Amino acid sequence: AQSVTQLGSHVSVSEGALVLLRCNYSSSVPPYLFWYVQYPNQGLQLLLKYTSAATLVKGINGFEAEFKKSETSFHLTKPSAHMRDAAEYFCAVRGGGSYIPTFGRGTSLIVHP
Amino acid sequence: DGGITQSPKYLFRKEGQNVTLSCEQNLNHDAMYWYRQDPGQGLRLIYYSQIVNDFQKGDIAEGYSVSREKKESFPLTVTSAQKNPTAFYLCASTAGTAKSGNTIYFGEGSWLTVV
């Protein structure tokens, strides 16, 4: 079985501040982990993914995430928020023999000027 | 360019009416998925298909039906049995086997509203 928990349905930061979006997963086997971004009225776009290579994964738009097996976490960070980062962010897991990716409930990132 | 095309972008359904959402991909992907998105509830799986002529129910399949007659096409029908169909619907696809970390690609989504 696999599951994903995103802590915080909304995260609010000031422009230029650190962004931290939290994701914890549960998987019976080493997982594949993904972060997606969704802008209003659009589909999901891949930010980055972990596939058992480097534990620190760099993605698009300056985002990165670190896989921590001991903490079963895959938190998304960005050193300096920009107004254009305001969107919904989804963490997803796809593990073992499951064809089905499981998504978290999403975290809405709000960026204040 | 390769990708997933969903149509229509906006659709209105009258009470008691069946409607079909189209999903076409030219990525040569084997697996395709339909998700429903409601505010605050994330993505919920409706149906998925791993191969042509085969599909399985997801977590919220009641009131929906699908077909997979061609590799590139996975239409979703919202039947009159679905009592609360107003939502944003997302189609997705991925290549490879269940053990691969291949990216899951999404279409731009379709809005369905009951009038």
Side-chain angles (χ1 to χ4, degrees):
Chain A
Q2 58 190 29
S3 65
V4 170
T5 302
Q6 291 185 242
L7 298 176
S9 59
H10 295 83
V11 170
S12 181
V13 300
S14 298
E15 192 172 20
L18 172 71
V19 175
L20 171 60
L21 304 182
R22 299 178 186 273
C23 173
N24 288 88
Y25 70 90
S26 172
S27 176
S28 58
V29 296
Y32 300 109
L33 294 159
F34 306 81
W35 273 103
Y36 284 85
V37 61
Q38 183 183 34
Y39 298 102
N41 207 29
Q42 295 185 24
L44 277 66
Q45 177 186 1
L46 182 71
L47 277 176
L48 50 82
K49 66 179 180 180
Y50 167 76
T51 58
S52 74
T55 56
L56 181 62
V57 182
K58 294 188 182 298
I60 63 171
N61 301 340
F63 285 94
E64 63 181 36
E66 187 172 8
F67 172 69
K68 292 187 176 181
K69 184 178 178 180
S70 61
E71 299 178 7
T72 61
S73 68
F74 190 56
H75 302 331
L76 182 71
T77 60
K78 182 174 180 177
S80 177
H82 193 278
M83 296 295 291
R84 62 174 173 261
D85 295 326
E88 190 85 12
Y89 291 81
F90 291 92
C91 182
V93 62
R94 188 183 183 199
S98 175
Y99 281 89
I100 308 169
T102 299
F103 287 82
R105 293 195 167 202
T107 298
S108 178
L109 177 63
I110 302 162
V111 182
H112 297 286
Chain B
D1 287 344
I4 301 174
T5 301
Q6 289 187 238
S7 63
K9 181 68 175 181
Y10 300 96
L11 186 60
F12 298 90
R13 193 195 90 167
K14 296 181 180 179
E15 294 286 345
Q17 192 178 46
N18 292 354
V19 293
T20 297
L21 306 179
S22 170
C23 178
E24 302 279 333
Q25 54 98 357
N26 60 5
L27 301 168
N28 199 33
H29 287 172
D30 289 307
M32 296 187 73
Y33 313 86
W34 272 105
Y35 288 91
R36 170 177 170 148
Q37 186 176 19
D38 296 279
Q41 297 195 45
L43 278 67
R44 293 185 290 169
L45 183 68
I46 305 172
Y47 269 96
Y48 66 102
S49 169
Q50 300 170 17
I51 197 170
V52 175
N53 292 322
D54 185 55
F55 49 83
Q56 286 79 39
K57 294 181 178 180
D59 301 318
I60 56 166
E62 184 175 352
Y64 300 97
S65 66
V66 294
S67 63
R68 187 84 187 277
E69 298 177 0
K70 298 185 295 183
K71 187 175 185 177
E72 59 270 25
S73 179
F74 191 42
L76 174 73
T77 296
V78 184
T79 74
S80 57
Q82 172 51 242
K83 297 307 179 186
N84 183 24
T86 296
F88 191 52
Y89 291 86
L90 287 161
C91 180
S93 71
T94 186
T97 68
K99 295 184 180 180
S100 76
N102 286 339
T103 299
I104 306 143
Y105 292 88
F106 283 83
E108 288 296 298
S110 293
W111 279 105
L112 174 61
T113 303
V114 174
V115 296

